[in-house]
Amino acid sequence: MEIKAIRGFNDILPNEIGKWQFVEESAREVFEGFGFSEIRIPIIERTELFSRGIGEATDIVEKEMYTFTDRSGNSLTLRPEATASMARAYLEHQIYSFDPVAKLYCIGPMFRYERPQKGRYRQFYQIDAEVFGVENPMVDAEVIIMLIHFLKRVGLEKLELQINTLGCRDCRPRYREELRKFLATKSFQLCEDCQRRLQTNPLRILDCKVESCQEAIADAPKVIDFIDGECQKHFDKVKAYLEMAGLSYILNPRMVRGLDYYTRTAFEVVSYQLGSQNAVTGGGRYDNLFQEIGGLDVPGIGFAIGMERLISLLPKEKEFIRYPHLFIAALGEEAYREAYRLVNQLHLEGIRAELDYEAKSLKSQMRRADKLKVQYVLILGEEEMKRGKAALRNMTDKFQEEILINNLLETLKSKIVFD
Ligand SMILES: [Zn+2]
Ligand SMILES: [Zn+2]
């Protein structure tokens, strides 16, 4: 029987990889320009890192974690997100002892045991950026500015920044209680999940997509009316710093973000590029996460971008596949050896050159050159070679000229369009 990939796990094929590499390279370039450094964290962690960090009463921990017991009986989990691991690494390696401020990013696969459906995968990819150790609202704005700059850099358009504040551990419980009381009066309208959330995590009801739940929350109290003075001041400054940077935003009082650990600033970026509204990415501040996992009181803020979604929004007209620059068609034994020598020489110079390994007819070699979408074909015939010459054909305008083989490298460098 033919062995296939597991459901929800995908191959990223060579004809798609250009987009992924483009997005990853752009992220590195933009983030490092903002003073961020890459961190690579393990794919597997102890389960309690996520259950404590993300929160027991979240969808992720309740039903989406890829958890298993290893041969020694430890409960391990494939990372469902990167923030908790990055925070763990920051504490474990005492990165703060060098400088309390750490700006880190991470690119890689995450795992969630979700019901496989269109656009949902069990292995999916995220780009994460986090700043640890700063409570100042200036850094909230900085992180958002970097995010928007990155999204524009990869070519996304019609973006809308939405922000909200979620309060802190002092003022949010009051809101949570008000919300619970309000929703309890509408509990007959709530879906099964939300009935349960009413007891465990009423804030999560605010982003339930079920229509009757949406109706139930229409007049729900807003967190902004319950936050304390400190949180209000923090939020006002975030807004002021965004305005100073010329970024426009929309206040979205219903945005709560999925995870328990968020506090104060929350943000999402939506794209209207495909007509309808598509959430591209989101993030926020989490000033309690570190205490949950390690005891130190370290503030943090960051975002995660789902790469599959982002890649589906890339400009359609941009070319991401790197075709060979040159195909060498050789006629005869002598020419074939010369083609081999030239191809190897050109590869060392960064010119993507291909030849035919089967030494077929000129016609079939030209057909392959066409299929590979090369810019030029060098035709090596025995007669011309004796004069040190070969024919170079431009595959776009079909113009063909005779060139000196000794000048091949310079000739190509002056003609090839490098990507
Ligand atoms: Zn507060
Ligand atoms: Zn619901």
Side-chain angles (χ1 to χ4, degrees):
M1 210 179 79
E2 197 186 344
I3 299 173
K4 300 227 166 116
I6 309 166
R7 211 166 158 214
F9 290 76
N10 293 317
D11 300 305
I12 302 168
L13 300 175
N15 64 352
E16 309 163 283
I17 204 71
K19 296 179 183 180
W20 292 77
Q21 290 172 334
F22 165 71
V23 164
E24 288 165 4
E25 279 158 23
S26 306
R28 288 179 208 285
E29 214 177 286
V30 169
F31 296 177
E32 285 176 20
F34 275 74
F36 283 65
S37 305
E38 184 175 2
I39 181 169
R40 298 193 186 184
I41 46 173
I43 281 173
I44 304 177
E45 299 268 7
R46 292 189 182 280
T47 300
E48 61 190 299
L49 173 68
F50 303 115
S51 50
R52 274 159 56 184
I54 300 173
E56 296 282 359
T58 55
D59 281 359
I60 294 181
V61 172
E62 274 179 355
K63 47 189 184 189
E64 294 169 2
M65 290 219 297
Y66 239 106
T67 299
F68 59 94
T69 308
D70 73 1
R71 287 169 194 263
S72 315
N74 303 310
S75 177
L76 305 180
T77 295
L78 295 180
R79 62 183 189 195
E81 53 108 62
T83 312
S85 302
M86 286 158 85
R88 183 211 29 82
Y90 175 85
L91 295 173
E92 185 171 341
H93 305 286
Q94 297 169 9
I95 295 176
Y96 51 83
S97 64
F98 167 69
D99 183 352
V101 181
K103 299 180 171 181
L104 305 169
Y105 73 88
C106 167
I107 302 175
M110 308 293 155
F111 305 85
R112 286 188 200 173
Y113 201 81
E114 292 197 82
R115 217 176 305 121
Q117 49 177 303
K118 196 179 177 309
R120 293 266 181 185
Y121 309 113
R122 288 183 169 177
Q123 176 174 333
F124 57 97
Y125 291 79
Q126 280 189 346
I127 300 174
D128 279 82
E130 314 287 344
V131 180
F132 298 149
V134 194
E135 212 181 336
N136 194 314
M138 198 181 276
V139 90
D140 300 44
E142 205 180 294
V143 163
I144 294 172
I145 292 163
M146 179 172 88
L147 172 61
I148 300 284
H149 180 58
F150 165 69
L151 295 174
K152 287 186 176 164
R153 167 73 69 91
V154 298
L156 263 57
E157 289 172 347
K158 297 184 183 155
L159 299 173
E160 181 182 273
L161 168 66
Q162 302 184 350
I163 60 171
N164 191 20
T165 179
L166 304 178
C168 63
R169 73 191 109 189
D170 299 325
C171 56
R172 191 160 55 181
R174 204 155 54 91
Y175 170 64
R176 212 178 127 112
E177 193 41 37
E178 282 302 314
L179 183 66
R180 204 189 55 74
K181 269 196 254 164
F182 173 86
L183 289 169
T185 67
K186 313 234 169 196
S187 75
F188 59 95
Q189 260 178 280
L190 301 177
C191 72
E192 206 179 307
D193 278 338
C194 288
Q195 299 275 355
R196 194 168 32 82
R197 289 174 183 144
L198 195 53
Q199 304 310 321
T200 57
N201 193 354
L203 261 73
R204 294 282 288 119
I205 300 175
L206 293 180
D207 50 25
C208 180
K209 303 282 178 280
V210 176
E211 205 174 314
S212 61
C213 297
Q214 287 285 317
E215 283 165 18
I217 62 169
D219 304 312
K222 298 187 174 88
V223 65
I224 192 84
D225 298 323
F226 291 84
I227 60 173
D228 54 28
E230 282 303 303
C231 285
Q232 184 66 59
K233 220 157 53 190
H234 192 274
F235 192 45
D236 288 343
K237 284 190 181 158
V238 172
K239 291 188 283 185
Y241 284 126
L242 289 175
E243 284 157 24
M244 271 174 69
L247 275 196
S248 53
Y249 56 83
I250 287 194
L251 296 177
N252 178 354
R254 297 262 175 260
M255 185 212 306
V256 290
R257 309 289 304 148
L259 312 185
D260 262 5
Y261 58 53
Y262 284 111
T263 53
R264 293 193 169 169
T265 315
F267 54 90
E268 279 182 8
V269 180
V270 299
S271 159
Y272 288 90
Q273 211 169 293
L274 303 178
S276 59
Q277 177 177 324
N278 281 284
V280 182
T281 162
R285 177 167 281 287
Y286 41 87
D287 294 341
N288 304 341
L289 168 69
F290 279 87
Q291 285 193 317
E292 295 295 334
I293 64 169
L296 272 186
D297 196 2
V298 180
I301 181 162
F303 58 77
I305 306 171
M307 288 182 73
E308 285 83 358
R309 171 73 58 83
L310 179 64
I311 281 164
S312 74
L313 294 169
L314 292 182
K316 295 283 174 280
E317 63 283 1
K318 195 170 154 56
E319 183 65 79
F320 293 101
I321 300 176
R322 289 192 172 142
Y323 300 107
H325 299 120
L326 177 77
F327 187 88
I328 303 184
L331 300 165
E333 194 56 33
E334 195 69 15
Y336 198 51
R337 267 201 300 276
E338 177 68 356
Y340 172 73
R341 189 185 70 81
L342 288 172
V343 158
N344 283 324
Q345 185 199 348
L346 294 173
H347 286 165
L348 299 181
E349 298 290 335
I351 291 174
R352 298 194 293 269
E354 285 294 322
L355 51 68
D356 192 71
Y357 295 106
E358 308 288 337
K360 291 198 197 105
S361 68
L362 179 62
K363 202 171 155 194
S364 87
Q365 293 192 56
M366 292 306 285
R367 245 196 329 262
R368 177 139 184 265
D370 236 358
K371 206 161 75 183
L372 292 175
K373 299 194 175 162
V374 298
Q375 295 175 30
Y376 288 89
V377 175
L378 185 75
I379 303 165
L380 284 177
E382 308 246 303
E383 280 310 308
E384 293 85 348
M385 264 177 54
K386 281 182 195 149
R387 292 184 283 119
K389 291 187 170 172
L392 185 68
R393 177 191 263 259
N394 180 331
M395 295 300 277
T396 314
D397 59 16
K398 308 296 177 198
F399 177 75
Q400 191 166 312
E401 62 186 314
E402 207 171 55
I403 64 156
L404 282 169
I405 295 176
N406 280 342
N407 288 346
L408 178 64
L409 185 60
E410 289 148 51
T411 309
L412 289 174
K413 280 191 170 166
S414 71
K415 287 179 182 289
I416 285 173
V417 182
F418 290 94
D419 39 30

